[in-house]
Amino acid sequence: MFHPQISPHDPNTVLVSCDMTGAYISHDGGKSWRMFNLRGVVEFFVFDPLDKKVMYAEANGLWRSQDGGGSWSLLYPRPRP
């Protein structure tokens, strides 16, 4: 696991990347984790400075979550229909 990122809004929200294309999020300070996959190894995570529910990740493109990491959408490159 690498690239840990702790939310500036809530220290219990943590994101980490793994070397097998998975990433993990915890909302309870690391007591439990949920895996999610963004189709590549996540190189970095960024929390929006104003909106605690918005976070970004770079993994073969730029991804955004608007619901605290529950779901992710590809911003760039633009998804193909």
Side-chain angles (χ1 to χ4, degrees):
M1 298 185 144
F2 41 89
H3 306 300
Q5 192 71 328
I6 300 170
S7 170
H9 307 288
D10 177 6
N12 287 313
T13 298
V14 183
L15 291 159
V16 295
S17 178
C18 288
D19 61 353
M20 300 299 289
T21 72
Y24 293 84
I25 188 167
S26 175
H27 291 289
D28 58 11
K31 293 177 186 166
S32 64
W33 296 87
R34 182 181 63 81
M35 187 184 130
F36 59 96
N37 188 320
L38 300 179
R39 301 183 208 150
V41 176
V42 176
E43 296 297 326
F44 64 82
F45 297 102
V46 176
F47 288 89
D48 187 289
L50 301 176
D51 188 339
K52 68 181 183 176
K53 294 282 189 183
V54 176
M55 50 190 77
Y56 298 89
E58 194 287 324
N60 294 327
L62 181 62
W63 296 80
R64 176 176 59 197
S65 173
Q66 294 181 287
D67 60 3
S71 62
W72 293 83
S73 58
L74 184 61
L75 294 179
Y76 183 85
R78 189 174 204 149
R80 295 181 191 163

